[in-house]
Amino acid sequence: MIQDKLLDFEHSVVGKPGLSLYKDPKFNINSSYFSIVIAIIVSGVSFFDNLSAEGTSIKALIFIILVSLATFLAFYLTIVSVVKLTFRKSPSTAILGVLSSWIIYQVIKGFGHFALIEAEWEVVWANRVLVIVGQLMTESLTQSYLPNQSWRLWSILYLTFIIISAAYGTTGDKPYKFLIPFTIFTSILTYIAWNPTAVNYDTDEPVMKLIGATVLSYISFGLSHYYCSINEEYIANKLRSYLALSSVFLFFFAIFIMNPPESVQNLCADIFGISASENIQLTRCGGVEASQWGGIFVNLIVATAGCVLGFAVGVVLAFGRQSKLPFFKYPAVALIETVRSGPLICWLYFAVFLLPDIIDPFMDIEDIIRMLLIFGLFGGCYIAEVLRGGLQAVDSGQKEAALALGLSPIQTKLQVELPNAVRTTLPSIVSVFIGLWKDTTLLFIINILDFFKLAKDLPNTSPGYLGDFLEPLYVTALVFWIFAFYLSRISMRIEKGLGLTNEGGGEAA
Amino acid sequence: MYIKKLFPLLSIIVPEKYLKLSSIPYLIAIFAFYSYSNKFLTYSADYVTDMSRDITIGGVQQNIAFYSLESLILFVGGFLLISYLLVQNEFNNLFSEPRKFNNGVSPIFTDLLQNMYVWIFIFGVYNLIPFLKSWEFFLDSSVLSIFSELLKGSALGLFCGLFIGFLLRGYYSSLFAMVMFLFSYRLFPLLSDFSPFFSLSSSQISFFIIGGAVLTSFLLIQNNIKDLSINKISKVNTGEFASVFSILIFIILLFNISMVPILSQNLIPFLSLILLLNVCYWSWDLSQERSKQSVQEQRSAALVFMVSLPILLYFLLRLLYLLNHPDTVMRNRWELAYDFMSQGNTFKVNTWPFEVTPGADSRWLFYKAAIINSARVTLLSIFLCTILGIIVGVTRLSSNKLASTLATAYVEIFRNLPLAVLLFLIATQMGHQFPLFSEEKAISIFNKDIIYYSNQGIWFVTVAEHFRLFVGIIFLAFIKIILRQMARVEPRKVDDSKSSLIQRPFSHLGWRVEALLSDILVLISIFAFVILSYPFFTTASGGLECIIGLNFLLYSLLVFTNVDDSGVNEMVVDDSSEGLRKSFTIWTLSIAVAIGIAISAGFSSPELLKPSSSPGSWRFVAEKGFEITPAFSAMIIGLTLFTASVVAEIVRGSIQALPRGQVEASISLGLNPFQRLRLVILPQALRSMIPLLNNQFMNVWKNSSLAIIVAYNDIFYQFLVMANNVGKLIPLFLLLLVTYQFGSLMISAVMNWFNARVTSVKI
């Protein structure tokens, strides 16, 4: 019954009535109705006030409706707690409830006012390609004197979508659990690509390509789902390991395709009949140098390097630290403790100023590749610490059984100890990955044009956007938040799948 | 099969079973290793040649990168010796039980001779003797030079101790390595000095150093020096023969390399070929697993050493070259000398507790101010984020749906935001939100400003003399001690395990006096610490007094915890309503008195001087009012919000890991929610929380380096300013690492002590 539900809601949010008057159920429910009516009156007054102040555009209407709802909730809860004197019976609940409702009201009013009324989001729409791919690629997309290099990114995107959908297909969930969120996600992407506000490129091409990518991912999801459903578990596991290998391969492929080495560029020029006198960089065959990468692509590449290279380095360092031989142990301990003692920003400066002195004689690498190496080293030391706990927790019976079976030390480490350790510590490893993703924002300090730096400096690019310095920052926060939130959901899901969560007791209030 | 058809000749040389597709990775590995070792050994040889070229014109060395043969041999030979000893792994036994001899020599003498620490101590102290000539000389010399002399002495002591130890225990292969090192370091340069016949050309020197490294790795992996010394000549087998033969060939080639032009011109490919053959043979041999476990381990470590030898040699020689690089800028970067820190900084930076003037005060003073700034923001953030984290974490578990949803939203939002973006966002939003300085927004009473806020900072009123505020707090602590003393009763059982005069100095005076005195001791030590260390935090000197005060404080805390642990503190808790009323009145009165003491000297409110009508000339009078800069507030807000979300998750996790029975029992006992939380849940949840909180607090310390985003003058900002100023990157970088490591160690030490106290009760 609605009345019971209403009373239950009030009890849980603001506490039970404090006066014995309210033992009578009719009086109880009538006073609730009374407070609802008063709250409606107050919020109605504020609704019409805001309407006259802000106007009737769609954004203003959304804002006004949200604020009125928040006002209604806040006033209703306050009036109920005052009328029913819930402070006497359970003061903590009452205070919590009333305080939270007012906090919600303030946040919605403040942020809603900013986001829907004050802000001019045009600066973000006008630069959406810039912050995704960086300076050079935007120029090549929009200007005619540079060849269009976007096919490199599209190929990477296609492969990423295919691998991710295939991975979801192997989980064995019901199809709609993946298809519906994925469709929502790609339609949001398509909308962002299609939005005609301040667009500086031809919208048809990206929209078509995104729709093509969605169709391909549906196909790959369907195929892998079908394959895993008709085959045995061990065949599905083989598919999963192939997918994991292919994602590592995708990382190296991404670097390769963005900037192919000289020999490959020359080969391509020979195939496409470009004469040797032309500058290869101005044709389709020229690569995009690492120093010209920008936007969220840089963040993604550096974070992936931290994860992939970091995992490899971390495994080596963890086993080195755990070994009895001092030749492996002392250098591993020294390296891990040194790298972990300084903050990441300190190591980034090391990579920019001091690392070239050591490496330049034998390898001429650019800033971003050095960043990849440093992120790999830094992530590796953190993963080594995490794996150290996991390796210590491996049952010694496993190692003894492997020894009895005649496995060599390297085989024991890689095939017996490491899978056990990774299974136990996988949530911590994923949280290291999330930390690495968030730390890629520090690249702006050394003047690498990643997403954060480009978004931060957007107001300075054009006179029309001079005052809009808050909007790009909020969009940056949102984009980084989305990726990190998605990774943490995956981590929770992995934990549940491996059976590692402990549903303990202990409710406290 | 295909390979046989393509290369019919090959099938004659190589046996049939190796010509398959899966051999291709091995071929690629062989080729890759050969080119890798070739490349890095060539670089190493070039650096050796550059560094050994002696161009002395008119008595002045023209080659800036010149290293004398002795120092080259010391560095490369020392590195090879250390790697040899590590791989051979025979030195661990030397630090444990000494070997007993039964040939009549006094056992004390042999034990002492084999005690490594005695050797290190004797030689280290011997090196310090020149410093102790006079007290002034000792105080004048820098800490770094004393430390490096101590280090050199200890290294020499360690060397001698290891030598004697290896000799006495019969570990002949490590002994052989040490003897060879001594020989090449001491005798070899003498040979080149003595006669022109033995003078070394540059190709000989590079052969000596690089060929010597290859020879070392070869002997290491053969691992039969020990057998050589034991076996008789007639029973020598192939491996031992190979070792001896290689040493002889090395010595012969060393002096006659110019007679074999094939070798002297293709030295590096020759050495790479030797490395390649060894790596191939020994990796095949190790995969056969023919020997026992310890030999396998030693050989695989030696194999890894051999494979990584080119790149390790390259790094070592490159580092040596960088330290004496011909290019001044690069040499400046890598030189490890700290004398620039005693000169003045030419940049002005904003420091709060005390003013540092550019050009006059040394850089150490700037650095100290930066450390105080970082420590301030870290400690305040840790305190605030723990409180906020506990509140949010507990709220998340409450049954109030609205509050728990709000807490969950807070945690989910702030945990996934990057800290750099959050700090920048807060700084920009604050700058946008707060009024401009020229708008003179203030909250005032009776025409005197209480709080003046603008986007350039917040100034608010404070007490005129901070010392009286401190006295008020001491007064409150004193009242607390009196109340504790009045509630004490005779202890039931006193644990006298720690009743020595140092640990519990007042134990002979009876339980009542002892408890009172230990409380008063803590109060006095806090008072003394604040008084003694005040000059340290506000002026340039005062380190000694600060250390004394700190030691006194730690000692008093030790006495206090010992007294507490031994059970002397038994107090009656009066929870009746009359007792509560009494304590309520006592506390209200004492707080009133304390506030009275604190404000007895009056207030100092911020005063804005306006020399002219343009806001650029407006200034606040110094020493009046208390300022919080926008950078500091942005750092505090950002760090607190970010870390509190992680702490909330940790708190929630550890509360949820408690057994259900505890909470149900506390409910059935009739405790209200606050009492449940304070008396039952949080004390038990602390056990699992503390290691995770330790990690988070160290993260706060390291994240404070992001202050550069909001232009707050912390350690990293100072490092950048000084690096831009002087360009001495490596010394500053090492200083930075040591500072951050020291801070992490401090935080870890406190949390570990706390952990030990909380987990001393077994559950």
Side-chain angles (χ1 to χ4, degrees):
Chain A
M1 288 276 294
I2 284 208
Q3 295 163 337
D4 290 336
K5 285 207 170 54
L6 185 64
L7 284 177
D8 277 339
F9 172 72
E10 275 180 29
H11 285 167
S12 83
V13 175
V14 283
K16 297 199 161 53
L19 294 178
S20 49
L21 277 176
Y22 293 99
K23 291 255 169 56
D24 179 18
K26 252 192 152 11
F27 192 57
N28 214 357
I29 200 75
N30 283 339
S31 46
S32 296
Y33 286 152
F34 167 69
S35 24
I36 289 184
V37 164
I38 296 206
I40 289 185
I41 295 177
V42 173
S43 56
V45 166
S46 87
F47 179 82
F48 285 110
D49 262 343
N50 284 334
L51 206 58
S52 57
E54 312 285 357
T56 50
S57 62
I58 293 192
K59 283 198 204 168
L61 274 177
I62 298 178
F63 167 69
I64 294 171
I65 291 176
L66 281 174
V67 168
S68 320
L69 283 174
T71 327
F72 166 71
L73 186 68
F75 270 99
Y76 165 53
L77 288 177
T78 325
I79 295 176
V80 158
S81 66
V82 164
V83 162
K84 294 199 184 175
L85 279 180
T86 50
F87 292 91
R88 282 191 70 205
K89 200 82 184 290
S90 38
S92 52
T93 326
I95 294 180
L96 268 180
V98 172
L99 201 61
S100 350
S101 62
W102 281 105
I103 291 178
I104 291 180
Y105 166 68
Q106 281 293 356
V107 166
I108 287 187
K109 184 166 107 146
F111 192 69
H113 189 80
F114 167 75
L116 293 168
I117 311 261
E118 274 178 14
E120 292 169 27
W121 298 101
E122 209 177 274
V123 64
V124 177
W125 287 119
N127 288 305
R128 65 194 113 152
V129 181
L130 177 67
V131 296
I132 294 182
V133 295
Q135 188 81 19
L136 180 71
M137 300 274 298
T138 316
E139 271 186 34
S140 56
L141 268 179
T142 52
Q143 314 295 334
S144 56
Y145 56 85
L146 284 174
N148 191 351
Q149 307 275 20
S150 62
W151 57 274
R152 302 175 192 270
L153 283 178
W154 281 116
S155 51
I156 301 176
L157 186 77
Y158 273 49
L159 283 175
T160 318
F161 271 23
I162 291 177
I163 292 181
I164 290 184
S165 339
Y168 269 103
T170 62
T171 54
D173 273 349
K174 297 210 177 8
Y176 68 83
K177 281 202 178 148
F178 165 71
L179 288 177
I180 295 185
F182 185 69
T183 318
I184 297 177
F185 171 65
T186 44
S187 37
I188 292 180
L189 277 185
T190 323
Y191 170 70
I192 294 179
W194 167 82
N195 192 335
T197 323
V199 69
N200 54 356
Y201 56 93
D202 175 24
T203 50
D204 284 338
E205 194 196 329
V207 169
M208 284 295 125
K209 290 209 169 131
L210 272 174
I211 295 181
T214 322
V215 169
L216 271 180
S217 358
Y218 285 157
I219 295 177
S220 92
F221 172 77
L223 282 177
S224 82
H225 185 78
Y226 177 67
Y227 184 76
C228 288
S229 59
I230 60 170
N231 275 326
E232 300 270 355
E233 184 70 16
Y234 73 95
I235 299 187
N237 276 337
K238 236 179 149 82
L239 178 65
R240 285 189 195 116
S241 59
Y242 279 140
L243 282 176
L245 272 178
S246 59
S247 50
V248 173
F249 164 74
L250 176 65
F251 164 67
F252 289 107
F253 171 78
I255 299 185
F256 175 77
I257 204 173
M258 284 296 286
N259 190 15
E262 282 276 334
S263 38
V264 176
Q265 286 184 17
N266 291 335
L267 188 66
C268 161
D270 289 337
I271 294 180
F272 284 105
I274 301 173
S275 68
S277 57
E278 263 184 77
N279 186 1
I280 284 192
Q281 293 300 107
L282 293 177
T283 64
R284 277 184 69 97
C285 287
V288 180
E289 298 223 339
S291 45
Q292 308 287 348
W293 297 350
I296 208 171
F297 176 71
V298 169
N299 288 90
L300 284 170
I301 279 276
V302 172
T304 320
C307 303
V308 169
L309 292 177
F311 194 76
V313 169
V315 166
V316 169
L317 284 177
F319 280 125
R321 188 171 188 163
Q322 191 214 26
S323 126
K324 296 188 300 286
L325 304 176
F327 182 68
F328 296 124
K329 183 166 176 172
Y330 295 145
V333 171
L335 190 62
I336 292 179
E337 290 304 325
T338 315
V339 171
R340 268 168 54 95
S341 68
L344 178 60
I345 206 176
C346 172
W347 290 110
L348 291 182
Y349 264 90
F350 171 79
V352 170
F353 291 116
L354 290 170
L355 205 59
D357 289 345
I358 305 178
I359 292 197
D360 262 347
F362 68 87
M363 219 189 328
D364 191 17
I365 47 179
E366 294 146 333
D367 246 347
I368 293 197
I369 308 286
R370 265 182 255 139
M371 293 304 124
L372 293 185
L373 293 176
I374 281 288
F375 264 81
L377 181 64
F378 192 76
C381 291
Y382 273 82
I383 290 181
E385 274 298 292
V386 167
L387 277 180
R388 170 185 172 206
L391 283 175
Q392 276 175 348
V394 170
D395 199 12
S396 61
Q398 303 263 332
K399 292 185 256 197
E400 290 166 5
L403 192 62
L405 279 176
L407 296 179
S408 80
I410 293 201
Q411 279 173 319
T412 334
K413 290 189 164 66
L414 288 180
Q415 291 176 2
V416 172
E417 286 184 46
L418 188 61
N420 269 327
V422 167
R423 179 185 176 274
T424 323
T425 56
L426 200 54
S428 311
I429 293 182
V430 177
S431 79
V432 169
F433 287 174
I434 297 178
L436 278 177
W437 160 253
K438 289 192 295 183
D439 285 337
T440 58
T441 51
L442 293 175
L443 288 175
F444 86 98
I445 297 181
I446 29 186
N447 287 327
I448 288 186
L449 299 173
D450 71 320
F451 185 84
F452 182 41
K453 177 142 180 81
L454 285 172
K456 192 162 69 74
D457 293 337
L458 279 181
N460 305 331
T461 54
S462 151
Y465 303 134
L466 266 182
D468 304 333
F469 42 83
L470 278 176
E471 291 85 344
L473 285 177
Y474 278 108
V475 170
T476 313
L478 182 69
V479 168
F480 278 103
W481 185 85
I482 289 177
F483 276 96
F485 184 67
Y486 177 62
L487 280 176
S488 66
R489 288 284 131 185
I490 291 185
S491 153
M492 253 191 250
R493 197 225 153 87
I494 294 179
E495 259 184 79
K496 254 193 236 153
L498 292 174
L500 290 172
T501 46
N502 49 349
E503 312 281 348
E507 285 153 9
Chain B
M1 193 178 74
Y2 305 104
I3 300 182
K4 191 172 170 191
K5 282 190 188 151
L6 284 173
F7 304 102
L9 276 177
L10 208 55
S11 56
I12 305 177
I13 312 174
V14 181
E16 188 74 38
K17 65 174 176 167
Y18 290 126
L19 282 178
K20 31 189 212 289
L21 216 56
S22 58
S23 334
I24 289 192
Y26 293 110
L27 289 173
I28 297 181
I30 289 178
F31 180 67
F33 180 74
Y34 181 72
S35 48
Y36 142 81
S37 88
N38 218 5
K39 180 171 180 181
F40 283 100
L41 286 182
T42 320
Y43 284 128
S44 316
D46 289 340
Y47 283 133
V48 171
T49 327
D50 280 339
M51 290 196 286
S52 58
R53 203 179 294 135
D54 185 1
I55 314 173
T56 318
I57 302 181
V60 176
Q61 178 64 253
Q62 299 291 337
N63 182 11
I64 304 182
F66 177 72
Y67 278 88
S68 65
L69 188 61
E70 266 187 356
S71 40
L72 262 185
I73 295 179
L74 175 67
F75 289 122
V76 180
F79 161 72
L80 288 175
L81 177 68
I82 293 176
S83 319
Y84 192 102
L85 291 179
L86 279 179
V87 171
Q88 200 64 18
N89 197 13
E90 283 166 351
F91 65 89
N92 268 331
N93 302 334
L94 293 184
F95 284 86
S96 52
E97 280 290 313
R99 177 177 156 185
K100 303 284 173 215
F101 293 92
N102 46 8
N103 53 2
V105 187
S106 138
I108 303 180
F109 176 66
T110 51
D111 281 354
L112 213 59
L113 205 59
Q114 292 179 54
N115 192 341
M116 303 296 300
Y117 301 109
V118 168
W119 284 101
I120 297 176
F121 180 71
I122 290 180
F123 273 78
V125 168
Y126 179 73
N127 255 22
L128 280 185
I129 289 180
F131 283 98
L132 299 172
K133 272 193 299 216
S134 64
W135 190 240
E136 288 88 26
F137 188 66
F138 181 67
L139 285 180
D140 261 346
S141 15
S142 68
V143 179
L144 205 64
S145 59
I146 296 181
F147 191 64
S148 58
E149 283 299 310
L150 192 66
L151 214 58
K152 281 192 220 167
S154 318
L156 190 59
L158 183 66
F159 186 85
C160 294
L162 281 177
F163 193 84
I164 300 286
F166 287 139
L167 190 61
L168 286 179
R169 291 192 196 215
Y171 292 144
Y172 293 119
S173 79
S174 307
L175 188 67
F176 172 76
M178 299 189 92
V179 166
M180 285 293 116
F181 172 72
L182 270 179
F183 184 74
S184 36
Y185 179 51
R186 283 289 165 206
L187 296 178
F188 195 67
L190 286 180
L191 284 177
S192 61
D193 285 341
F194 266 140
S195 75
F197 181 64
F198 282 124
S199 78
L200 298 167
S201 68
S202 64
S203 64
Q204 279 179 309
I205 294 184
S206 49
F207 178 71
F208 181 59
I209 290 188
I210 304 195
V214 173
L215 181 69
T216 315
S217 60
F218 178 71
L219 291 176
L220 193 58
I221 206 168
Q222 292 274 10
N223 202 20
N224 43 26
I225 306 272
K226 188 162 179 165
D227 303 331
L228 263 181
S229 53
I230 297 179
N231 284 352
K232 296 209 251 284
I233 300 280
S234 52
K235 290 205 203 134
V236 143
N237 62 13
T238 334
E240 294 161 6
F241 178 69
S243 304
V244 176
F245 184 66
S246 59
I247 297 180
L248 287 173
I249 291 279
F250 176 71
I251 296 179
I252 292 174
L253 277 180
L254 179 61
F255 293 109
N256 300 320
I257 190 118
S258 38
M259 309 229 181
V260 191
I262 275 191
L263 280 184
S264 65
Q265 281 161 16
N266 299 330
L267 181 63
I268 300 297
F270 169 66
L271 290 175
S272 308
L273 193 63
I274 295 181
L275 273 183
L276 178 68
L277 289 173
N278 272 303
V279 165
C280 291
Y281 170 69
W282 283 107
S283 36
W284 172 80
D285 183 87
L286 278 177
S287 66
Q288 302 293 314
E289 293 191 33
R290 292 193 285 214
S291 342
K292 59 181 180 178
Q293 179 76 356
S294 58
V295 174
Q296 284 283 109
E297 281 179 355
Q298 193 266 354
R299 285 225 167 104
S300 35
L303 185 66
V304 170
F305 174 62
M306 193 181 256
V307 166
S308 54
L309 187 67
I311 203 163
L312 288 177
L313 266 185
Y314 168 75
F315 278 138
L316 180 68
L317 290 168
R318 175 80 184 158
L319 189 64
L320 288 176
Y321 186 67
L322 279 172
L323 285 174
N324 275 355
H325 204 271
D327 178 19
T328 328
V329 174
M330 284 174 88
R331 191 171 66 235
N332 214 12
R333 276 212 280 263
W334 284 85
E335 222 178 355
L336 192 70
Y338 282 93
D339 44 351
F340 67 95
M341 289 291 281
S342 8
Q343 296 154 5
N345 212 16
T346 56
F347 279 70
K348 176 156 177 42
V349 281
N350 185 21
T351 61
W352 170 56
F354 50 95
E355 283 293 314
V356 275
T357 32
D361 294 320
S362 79
R363 291 205 172 90
W364 286 117
L365 201 59
F366 277 86
Y367 202 66
K368 175 169 135 179
I371 294 181
I372 294 178
N373 276 345
S374 276
R376 228 176 350 145
V377 83
T378 311
L379 286 172
L380 192 58
S381 297
I382 287 180
F383 177 67
L384 287 176
C385 84
T386 319
I387 296 179
L388 185 61
I390 292 181
I391 294 178
V392 173
V394 167
T395 314
R396 223 185 138 172
L397 291 169
S398 88
S399 50
N400 187 339
K401 289 279 186 320
L402 198 62
S404 69
T405 321
L406 192 62
T408 313
Y410 166 79
V411 167
E412 286 301 328
I413 289 178
F414 280 95
R415 209 162 51 128
N416 294 323
L417 278 180
L419 187 57
V421 175
L422 184 65
L423 279 175
F424 199 77
L425 194 58
I426 289 177
T428 321
Q429 184 75 35
M430 267 177 46
H432 178 66
Q433 202 90 358
F434 278 0
L436 297 176
F437 190 60
S438 53
E439 286 174 23
E440 299 182 63
K441 280 271 160 66
I443 303 174
S444 42
I445 294 185
F446 311 129
N447 274 352
K448 279 196 139 219
D449 292 334
I450 296 201
I451 299 184
Y452 187 94
Y453 58 100
S454 74
N455 64 359
Q456 287 193 18
I458 303 177
W459 284 261
F460 49 87
V461 65
T462 173
V463 292
E465 267 194 48
H466 289 123
F467 183 67
R468 302 204 185 192
L469 181 65
F470 178 57
V471 170
I473 296 177
I474 295 283
F475 174 73
L476 283 176
F478 189 62
I479 297 285
K480 170 87 181 164
I481 291 180
I482 293 181
L483 284 178
R484 268 164 72 101
Q485 188 61 16
M486 280 177 8
R488 259 187 242 278
V489 290
E490 172 138 18
R492 280 172 286 170
K493 181 168 114 97
V494 176
D495 172 19
D496 270 332
S497 57
K498 285 191 183 169
S499 61
S500 71
L501 210 58
I502 298 185
Q503 283 167 325
R504 277 172 56 191
F506 311 116
S507 51
H508 302 294
L509 302 169
W511 58 272
R512 212 188 268 273
V513 183
E514 178 182 9
L516 179 67
L517 280 183
S518 73
D519 284 349
I520 291 189
L521 188 68
V522 172
L523 188 65
I524 292 179
S525 69
I526 293 180
F527 187 71
F529 174 67
V530 173
I531 302 274
L532 283 176
S533 58
Y534 188 73
F536 178 69
F537 290 111
T538 49
T539 61
S541 59
L544 197 60
E545 291 98 345
C546 181
I547 291 181
I548 293 177
L550 190 65
N551 280 334
F552 186 37
L553 179 69
L554 287 175
Y555 175 67
S556 71
L557 284 175
L558 182 72
V559 166
F560 181 75
T561 45
N562 279 342
V563 165
D564 206 24
D565 283 342
S566 61
V568 170
N569 275 337
E570 277 229 14
M571 288 173 271
V572 179
V573 177
D574 192 357
D575 259 346
S576 66
S577 52
E578 208 183 280
L580 283 179
R581 219 175 298 144
K582 198 168 81 166
S583 73
F584 182 68
T585 36
I586 293 182
W587 277 111
T588 343
L589 278 178
S590 39
I591 288 181
V593 172
I595 292 182
I597 297 178
I599 64 176
S600 58
F603 292 102
S604 94
S605 48
E607 208 178 289
L608 184 59
L609 285 180
K610 294 192 233 181
S612 72
S613 63
S614 72
S617 63
W618 295 352
R619 296 275 173 273
F620 272 95
V621 177
E623 306 289 332
K624 294 196 100 174
F626 189 77
E627 179 193 358
I628 293 188
T629 50
F632 182 75
S633 41
M635 276 302 286
I636 292 285
I637 295 176
L639 274 178
T640 310
L641 286 178
F642 181 75
T643 322
S645 58
V646 188
V647 170
E649 273 298 283
I650 293 176
V651 166
R652 179 187 71 103
S654 27
I655 290 183
Q656 274 187 328
L658 281 181
R660 273 202 117 105
Q662 299 281 327
V663 184
E664 288 171 1
S666 60
I667 296 178
S668 67
L669 276 177
L671 301 174
N672 66 36
F674 276 134
Q675 283 172 324
R676 272 210 298 270
L677 200 59
R678 198 166 54 91
L679 299 170
V680 175
I681 293 171
L682 277 184
Q684 294 188 50
L686 270 180
R687 291 172 66 97
S688 42
M689 267 205 279
I690 290 184
L692 299 166
L693 281 184
N694 184 17
N695 225 6
Q696 283 316 308
F697 292 163
M698 287 206 286
N699 274 346
V700 173
W701 168 243
K702 285 193 273 193
N703 281 340
S704 72
S705 66
L706 290 180
I708 187 176
I709 298 178
V710 294
Y712 178 69
N713 185 38
D714 79 319
I715 302 176
F716 190 70
Y717 189 90
Q718 200 66 28
F719 160 77
L720 283 183
V721 165
M722 287 201 273
N724 274 332
N725 211 355
V726 197
K728 300 249 187 205
L729 280 173
I730 279 280
L732 286 171
F733 191 74
L734 287 178
L735 196 59
L736 188 72
L737 282 182
V738 165
T739 316
Y740 275 111
Q741 180 70 319
F742 186 70
S744 305
L745 283 176
M746 290 271 103
I747 296 178
S748 267
V750 171
M751 296 301 283
N752 280 339
W753 172 80
F754 199 39
N755 194 23
R757 284 195 62 74
V758 166
T759 56
S760 58
V761 178
K762 295 267 175 282
I763 286 190

